[in-house]
Each structure stands twice: as C-alpha cells, then as structure tokens.
Amino acid sequence: MLAERAKIYFLHKKEGEEILENISYDQTGKINLNGIYNRDEPVSYFSALSRLGYRIPQEAKPRFESLIEARRRSTQSEAIKVIDLGCSYGVNGALLKHGLSMDDLYERYAAGPDNAGALLARDRDLYAEPADACLEMVGVDPAVRAVSYAVDAGMLDAGITTNLEAGDPKAKDVAALENADLIISTGCVGYVTETSLERLLETSIESKPWMAHFVLRMFDFGAPEDMLSSHGYVTEKVEGLFPQRRFASSEEQEHVLGNLDQLDIDASGAEATGWYFAELHVSRPQEITQSVPLDRILRSDAFQPA
C-alpha cells in the first residue's frame, strides 16, 4: 500500500531529534532524498517533506504571484507561461495554477487511494478546474516519472525531462519552453547551474523572460548572475531570508554550518536555529528594472535573522 511504503523512511521521534532513518549525504552535505524524487506516485515525496517541514514553495508563492501579475501588466496579456525549473511533482504548479497551499498538499497525499492508478484518477478530477486558467505551467526536471505524474494529473501543463546540464533542449522541448514569461525555481540552483539557465533563456530570448530563483545560502548565485548580465539582465537580491526546511539530522546541520563558515556567512539566528534558509534573486532585462522598480512589485516581509 502506498501509505505503508511511505512510512518506511521515518523514525517517529520528538521534534529536534533525527527524523529520517538510513540517512546518507550528498557532496554538499545535504541528506540524499533521491529515493523519493522519482516514483510513480508522490505519496512518499510529500510524506518525507512534510516531516521535514518543507515550506519554501509556500514562502515563494506570494512573491511569484506578484511577479506574475507584474509580468501580465508588462505584456498586457492575462495569458502567461511560467517555467518551473526543478519542478519534481509540480508543487509550484499546484500552488500557483490551482490555488493550493503546502498544507493542502500534505493533507491531500496523507490520505486517499492506496492504488497508484486510483490516486492519479482522483488527482485528475481535483486538478480539472484550475484557479488560474490563463497560467500555463511548464515543468523542467530529469525525474521522468515525477514529471509524468504531474502532467498526467494536471499540476503541470507540460513537462521537460531533458537534462539541460548535459545537453541542449530537443526540438519538442523548445516547442514547450519557447515564449516563456517567467522562469522560477525553489531550491534547485546549486545542483543546477548557469548552463541550464542559459539554455532555458535561449529558448525564449525574444520574449525576454523574467527570472526568480530561491537559492540556499550555501550556494553562490554569482555565475548565473554573470551569465544573465551578459544577456542584458540585472539581478536583484531581495532583502531577507526564506525558510526552506528543517535539518533532518544534527550531522546535516553540521555539514551546512561548515559550508557557510567557509563562505564567511554568519548562520546565527538562521541556519544555527535548525533550518535551511534561502535568498531570492530576481533577474529582469535592464530596461524593465529601470521602469518598474522591484520594490513596487514585491512585499519586503521576509524573515530577518536576529
């Protein structure tokens, strides 16, 4: 049963103690969650992220919505195409296109059919009538099964599974990606580099898409910023920090604090409290930054470390 399969990942301990079993770490010091990112259904994915308090898409939602509305005013069109880089099961699509919250998703996938086919059928019904029908969501992620589920269920309008770090998008990918208005991500930059961002940009170079990326503080956005600058973009970092998720173990926190220390980033009041934190980088063509200041678009109510 799907719910039973999800439970094998966890130890039921009090908050503050390690909450995942059989933990391994990647080269950045983060726990390796590859086992939940590319299944035929998203139950294990949402179960794991719920226990980790994963919330960055919820933090991002009002900022993305403000950028979407500003972009609509800029193009004078309600129709808008958003590219979600690192989309996995289409979380940002569920929040932006369908008006849901992370709590809604955690509740939705904590219960329901135990058969994968029945779960997909249920989701097709639930996502049949989007809250924003003029918003087209296109996901980009090499996790083939996750993207396929998100498209089949209706969280995404289209999905691209070509690894853009390794090669150019295929002709069918370009057809889905071209003429984008906004390119977003919530945590994949650092694993994904300026190579993927430039390939996405080049598919929509005539529409001059805006970009908004939430980047963990242990990853440097300098190389993507330089690439975007070479294409006439200005990148602005929004003031404040945005919580992503709790650390899964004391060892993971130690890894990250060490990474931040090497970068001379003060973790007190932020990662030292037990959470990952991200920063928001917004990139737009230079002429737009001059005519429409970013602080007119975004609220400045992000977390400020003590």
Side-chain angles (χ1 to χ4, degrees), residues 74 210 236 284-297:
S74 175
W210 299 3
E236 300 168 271
R284 298 177 295 159
Q286 183 174 7
E287 63 270 20
I288 294 295
T289 63
Q290 294 172 345
S291 61
V292 185
L294 189 60
D295 59 9
R296 288 187 193 173
I297 300 173

Side-chain angles (χ1 to χ4, degrees), residues 66-72 74 180-184 207-213 233 282-285 288 292 297:
S66 295
L67 288 165
I68 286 169
E69 292 311 309
R71 181 63 168 157
R72 280 171 161 155
S74 175
D181 295 292
L182 178 64
I183 299 172
I184 64 173
S207 63
K208 296 184 177 180
W210 299 3
M211 291 200 184
H213 301 289
Y233 279 66
V282 178
S283 304
R284 298 177 295 159
I288 294 295
V292 185
I297 300 173

Side-chain angles (χ1 to χ4, degrees), residues 218 254-267:
M218 65 181 185
E254 290 171 5
H255 288 159
V256 172
L257 292 179
N259 292 338
L260 293 172
D261 185 61
Q262 290 181 2
L263 296 170
D264 292 325
I265 296 174
D266 183 6

Side-chain angles (χ1 to χ4, degrees), residues 193-248:
T193 72
E194 67 277 5
T195 299
S196 291
L197 294 178
E198 186 164 36
R199 284 173 169 149
L200 286 176
L201 179 63
E202 289 172 346
T203 66
S204 298
I205 199 69
E206 292 185 2
S207 63
K208 296 184 177 180
W210 299 3
M211 291 200 184
H213 301 289
F214 285 82
V215 183
L216 292 178
R217 292 211 299 164
M218 65 181 185
F219 296 127
D220 184 14
F221 198 68
E225 183 173 348
D226 290 343
M227 178 277 294
L228 289 163
S229 178
S230 73
H231 289 280
Y233 279 66
V234 172
T235 297
E236 300 168 271
K237 186 168 70 173
V238 175
E239 183 179 1
L241 305 179
F242 301 87
Q244 189 210 46
R245 67 163 171 85
R246 290 190 299 271
F247 293 115

Side-chain angles (χ1 to χ4, degrees), residues 2 38 64 94 99 205 207 218 230 272 281 301-302 306:
L2 299 182
N38 194 24
F64 288 157
I205 199 69
S207 63
M218 65 181 185
S230 73
H281 302 263
D301 59 351

Side-chain angles (χ1 to χ4, degrees), residues 15-16 19 49-54 244-249 252 274-276:
E15 187 171 352
I19 58 174
L49 295 185
S50 175
R51 292 179 182 275
L52 291 169
Y54 178 74
Q244 189 210 46
R245 67 163 171 85
R246 290 190 299 271
F247 293 115
S249 68
E252 183 181 39
W275 285 74
Y276 278 102

